Amino acid sequence: MDVKQAGSSLDSLISSFNTRIAELQELVIARNMYPASSVTDLKAVDAALKAMELQVQAIKDRLREETLAIPKAKKLIEASLRQQKKLQSMSVHVPERTTFSNSEINNRSILPEASNQLPGFGPLKPEEPVATHKEKKGRSSPPLWYITAAELDSLSSYMRGRLTLDKVNAAINDMAAYADSNSQLITAPKKKLAENLWEKALELRDIAMTESIKGKHFFLETDMKGPSMKLDNTGKAILTVLRHLGRISETRIGHHRVIILSKPQT
């Protein structure tokens, strides 16, 4: 190694020592700027920040739960509205109780005693109570307005198709049976109905209370399940014939197609 190379290596070593000394001096200055007592404060700040982060996360979780609960709350509201509607429908069919005034009650209690005190007269019978409201009449049986051979022959061959008089009149029997079954569901108390029939009974009661149906015999298109009347091409053809001959009329209430038994015009 020559003198130049030895001098260069020595200069590099000295420069390295100087750099290291400068770094140590900066570390000493930094230590004096941030004494050991400040470390505790930093720890407290860090703990506070972590606590705030936990609170923010808890708030986010709560908001997420509330957001997920909104659809459930909407379903509960809809269910309560449906239940309210059912209860209102049920209240319509609850008979009102006959009430008497205090004077009427007193007169009725005094009447037997006074009759016993009259000589020569037997005990007087109290008058029968007069109801303040007319009793509801039971629904009559659905009518059976059969068609005649002349009526069937009066139809065009296209409308009549392969229908026969017996087939059409058998369908009229079925329709009367459907209407009678629905009438029984409408008037039946809840305790006498199976659970799977209660929903249908409430729907039928709502339909029966509409202005276009009130007081009439009816059935739903979905009731057409035989034995003679079914919801097929033949059944639809029979409905067309009976509608044309004035035996039925049709209307739509909600999602139900309602068939009403009509009296033929003479």
Side-chain angles (χ1 to χ4, degrees):
M1 180 181 295
D2 58 7
V3 177
K4 277 187 178 183
Q5 290 178 347
S8 177
S9 298
L10 184 59
D11 290 337
S12 298
L13 183 61
I14 293 172
S15 176
S16 176
F17 273 113
N18 289 333
T19 301
R20 184 61 177 167
I21 290 170
E23 291 175 352
L24 290 174
Q25 288 175 345
E26 291 176 358
L27 289 174
V28 171
I29 293 171
R31 182 180 180 185
N32 293 331
M33 288 177 63
Y34 302 100
S37 61
S38 65
V39 175
T40 305
D41 295 336
L42 291 176
K43 288 182 178 179
V45 171
D46 182 63
L49 286 174
K50 288 182 178 179
M52 289 179 65
E53 288 177 354
L54 292 175
Q55 291 179 356
V56 170
Q57 185 62 40
I59 292 172
K60 288 181 179 180
D61 293 340
R62 184 63 178 175
L63 288 174
R64 189 180 299 107
E65 292 175 359
E66 295 291 340
T67 303
L68 294 175
I70 289 175
K72 297 180 180 179
K74 288 182 178 179
K75 290 181 179 180
L76 287 175
I77 293 172
E78 292 174 356
S80 64
L81 291 175
R82 288 197 299 270
Q83 185 66 19
Q84 181 182 8
K85 185 178 178 182
K86 293 176 183 178
L87 292 174
Q88 290 174 348
S89 175
M90 291 169 60
S91 65
V92 174
H93 301 279
V94 176
E96 298 183 8
R97 298 180 62 183
T98 302
T99 58
F100 299 96
S101 64
N102 290 333
S103 60
E104 289 175 329
I105 295 173
N106 292 333
N107 290 337
R108 290 175 183 277
S109 61
I110 293 172
L111 187 58
E113 297 178 2
S115 64
N116 292 332
Q117 296 175 1
L118 293 176
F121 293 92
L124 298 177
K125 294 182 179 180
E127 295 181 359
E128 294 294 329
V130 179
T132 57
H133 298 277
K134 292 182 179 180
E135 294 182 359
K136 293 184 179 179
K137 295 182 179 179
R139 288 179 175 267
S140 58
S141 299
L144 293 170
W145 288 308
Y146 298 114
I147 69 169
T148 63
E151 286 179 309
L152 186 62
D153 292 338
S154 67
L155 302 174
S156 64
S157 58
Y158 174 77
M159 182 180 294
R160 187 171 62 248
R162 297 183 178 180
L163 297 178
T164 63
L165 184 64
D166 291 340
K167 186 177 292 185
V168 176
N169 284 335
I172 291 176
N173 284 332
D174 282 1
M175 291 190 297
Y178 304 152
D180 185 59
S181 176
N182 288 340
S183 177
Q184 292 179 17
L185 283 177
I186 291 171
T187 57
K190 182 178 180 180
K191 62 182 180 181
K192 291 187 178 181
L193 290 176
E195 186 176 354
N196 60 334
L197 294 177
W198 179 239
E199 290 289 336
K200 183 178 180 180
L202 292 177
E203 288 184 349
L204 291 174
R205 289 174 186 177
D206 290 339
I207 293 172
M209 293 303 295
T210 58
E211 290 298 325
S212 59
I213 305 293
K214 190 178 295 184
K216 299 177 182 178
H217 296 281
F218 69 93
F219 64 94
L220 307 181
E221 186 181 55
T222 53
D223 293 330
M224 297 168 53
K225 298 178 181 178
S228 300
M229 191 73 168
K230 296 182 180 179
L231 192 57
D232 53 13
N233 291 334
T234 301
K236 292 177 182 178
I238 292 174
L239 289 178
T240 302
V241 167
L242 293 177
R243 186 170 57 248
H244 181 79
L245 295 176
R247 296 307 197 273
I248 63 170
S249 60
E250 298 179 10
T251 186
R252 183 169 288 277
I253 299 177
H255 60 280
H256 292 294
R257 186 182 178 190
V258 185
I259 295 93
I260 307 164
L261 305 185
S262 305
K263 184 177 181 179
Q265 305 206 353
T266 57

